[in-house]
Structure formats: C-alpha cells, structure tokens
Amino acid sequence: MPVLIVQLGSARHVIPIDGEMLVGRDESASLPIDHPTVSRRHARFELVDNTCWIEDLGSRNGTRVNGQPLRGRAALSGGERIRIGHVPCWYFETAPDQATIESLNHRRSDGSGFSFRCECGVRLWAASVEIASSLPCPACGSRSHAVVAPESLTGGANDATGATPVCGVCQWPVKPGESQVSCPTCHARYHSECWTENHGCSVYGCDQVNVLTGPATTEDASPTGSADFETPEVIAAASASIGPALLAGSVVAGLLGLLLFGVPTLLTFVVTLLARRSAGPRWTIAAALLSLLGIVSGTLFSGWWWLNWSMDGLAGR
C-alpha cells in the first residue's frame, strides 16, 4: 500500500494512503496537520487504479513536488519529495524500512549558526545555542526548546564531511553545477529558482526571510497572495496630493474659460467627477462648485467679448 511519510519536528509519521485522503489544518481532514503554514483544506491525495494523484486545493503556501510548485493534479512516483506548506513529506509506493526513513534528509551544522526545529515542527535559525534556547516560536509561542538539533546549512557544494547541501525550500540536494544561492545571513543553501519563488530565506529568525518582497502576509489570505489593498494611510496621502491639484486646475481652467466659453472648466469638471474617490469628498465638492461657476461665468463673458452680447439684456432676463 502507498504511504506518505510526514515530518513534524523530529518525528516522522508513516501514513497509509487508501482511497481519498484530505490533508489540512482542519480537524475534519483525513490527515489533520496542525502547522501554521498548512491551510485548513490544503491538498488531496487520491489512489485510483494503483496510481496516486495529488492535488493542491488553492492553499495559501502551496504544495511542491520535487521542488516544483504543484499546478492542478499530478501523478506521483515512488520516492518523490513533497512539501505541504513548509511541512516536508515523502511518497513511497510501499512502506520503506526504518533505516531508509531515518536516512531521509540527514543534515549537519557547519558551525556558523544553525537551523533547528521547535517541538511543534516549525523550523528556526539562531546564531548560537544561547539564542536558540530563548527564541520564541512563531507558531506555538514556546521559548524553551528541549532539544536543539542543528541541521545542515552548508555554504559550499559539499561540507567537510562530504555531505551534499540540501535546498532549504524544496529539500532536494543542491548538486554541483546547479544554479544556487547561499543565504548571506544563515548560509542556508537554495536552488536559485527556489530562493526566488520563496522570496528569500525560509528559516524563521533569519533577516533574509521575504527579503525580496517584504513582510509575509497572514495565514489563509488570498490563495494567490497577489491582492493589493489600499490602507487608510495610502488613501489619505493620495487625497492630499490629488485634491489640491484638482482645485488649482479648476481655477486655471476658469480663467482660461473666460475667453473660451467655459470649455476648459467643463473638462475640469468631468475630471473632478472621475477622480472623486481619489481626491476625497471635500476637495471634490470644492473643485466641482468652482468648475460650475467657471462654466457659467466663462459662457457669459465669452459671449459678451466675442459675440457682443448685451450684459444688460442678460441681466434683465
């Protein structure tokens, strides 16, 4: 029977796949994983005619197979590496022996700071054991980590022991000749495309986390992570710049409109209506009233100037 090996903290759990299996943080999931990077309904495994399929369900942090983001539905082969959020997993067509399970992703420290895992499974980085012992976990809030188990953060192609470095995102070996990036702070090694897709380092506590995009968004935000929201500060700043510009434009257009039958002011009035959301209500009302005044006065003055309208006659009307 196919199995999924899931690593949470230092423990690796062998989960049989029989039929359909929903993975997520929701307690009703077939395989509930309580981890901050796992969405409530994250992914689905389905066994059909001895072929296991995996599908991402629009999760916040995505699903990777062999280091590549999962798009739609894909068939799995034995020995493939899967990453559900930031939780590493392995797929095997039959359950491997204990020695194979223990040998998966075996790593060492290079002495220049190290990464380790909290008991809840979140990966952290610290420059020293003293810092590690009091570093707060972002998931469970714990500051007392019973066992600090360093993981490899090798900076070269191979460390002094001959071990090949492992990518901090996809968890696959970074082989000599492959395009790669070394985190300048914690020296974790990444494939170049993994570093770019992850927007920087993946080790909590490292100052290179999200270095390419800025602070991370909250869990279970938009699945694509691409929605842009205007904050009140942004709206206020836009209003402070656009509003005065509309008002000044109305004044200038009003002066020009005195000889052009108020046409420039009419255009300014239309622009004011289109930009009302960005300018704010006070600036919009002031600019609109000034534009209307400019249209009336421009029409009357231009008629008197160019067409010899009688001002007395207009006043009598």
Side-chain angles (χ1 to χ4, degrees):
M1 178 181 293
V3 297
L4 183 70
I5 299 176
V6 182
Q7 177 169 323
L8 290 174
S10 59
R12 288 171 179 159
H13 308 273
V14 180
I15 311 297
I17 302 176
D18 185 12
E20 182 176 320
M21 183 173 70
L22 176 65
V23 181
R25 213 176 63 242
D26 197 306
E27 293 182 356
S28 63
S30 308
L31 175 57
I33 299 179
D34 187 12
H35 192 279
T37 64
V38 176
S39 298
R40 291 177 176 83
R41 291 173 54 86
H42 197 108
R44 178 188 293 113
F45 291 83
E46 186 176 9
L47 187 61
V48 180
D49 297 331
N50 296 323
T51 300
C52 187
W53 296 81
I54 182 174
E55 179 184 6
D56 184 83
L57 301 178
S59 62
R60 167 68 182 87
N61 291 295
T63 303
R64 291 174 178 267
V65 177
N66 296 336
Q68 300 301 316
L70 179 62
R71 300 287 184 263
R73 195 163 176 253
L76 294 172
S77 300
E80 288 191 309
R81 185 62 181 267
I82 302 169
R83 195 171 182 87
I84 299 175
H86 289 178
V87 177
C89 307
W90 297 262
Y91 170 78
F92 288 91
E93 293 179 348
T94 57
D97 55 34
Q98 190 62 30
T100 300
I101 295 176
E102 292 178 355
S103 67
L104 293 172
N105 197 23
H106 179 67
R107 294 182 262 175
R108 303 171 180 80
S109 172
D110 70 344
S112 60
F114 56 90
S115 109
F116 61 98
R117 292 185 183 273
C118 175
E119 293 178 351
C120 71
V122 174
R123 187 181 177 199
L124 305 95
W125 178 87
S128 66
V129 174
E130 290 75 16
I131 295 176
S133 63
S134 60
L135 187 68
C137 173
C140 65
S142 173
R143 290 178 178 267
S144 57
H145 309 287
V147 178
V148 176
E151 297 177 350
S152 171
L153 293 172
T154 52
N158 296 84
D159 63 12
T161 64
T164 301
V166 178
C167 177
V169 173
C170 71
Q171 303 296 309
W172 276 79
V174 181
K175 299 177 181 179
E178 290 184 320
S179 179
Q180 53 188 272
V181 174
S182 177
C183 176
T185 298
C186 68
H187 307 295
R189 183 66 73 176
Y190 300 90
H191 295 107
S192 296
E193 61 271 19
C194 292
W195 173 271
T196 301
E197 291 176 2
N198 195 61
H199 308 299
C201 190
S202 66
V203 182
Y204 176 77
C206 178
D207 60 13
Q208 298 297 309
V209 173
N210 288 313
V211 69
L212 301 184
T213 58
T217 56
T218 57
E219 167 66 11
D220 287 339
S222 170
T224 61
S226 61
D228 295 325
F229 300 94
E230 291 185 341
T231 63
E233 292 78 6
V234 172
I235 296 174
S239 176
S241 59
I242 296 177
L246 286 177
L247 192 61
S250 299
V251 173
V252 174
L255 296 176
L256 294 175
L258 291 175
L259 298 177
L260 298 173
F261 292 93
V263 173
T265 319
L266 177 61
L267 296 176
T268 305
F269 179 75
V270 173
V271 172
T272 299
L273 294 181
L274 294 177
R276 63 186 183 277
R277 291 185 178 179
S278 300
R282 291 183 300 176
W283 292 109
T284 299
I285 293 174
L289 291 177
L290 193 59
S291 296
L292 291 175
L293 179 62
I295 293 172
V296 175
S297 60
T299 301
L300 295 178
F301 188 84
S302 294
W304 172 77
W305 182 265
W306 298 108
L307 303 178
N308 298 318
W309 288 356
S310 172
M311 301 302 291
D312 294 336
L314 291 173
R317 294 178 187 177

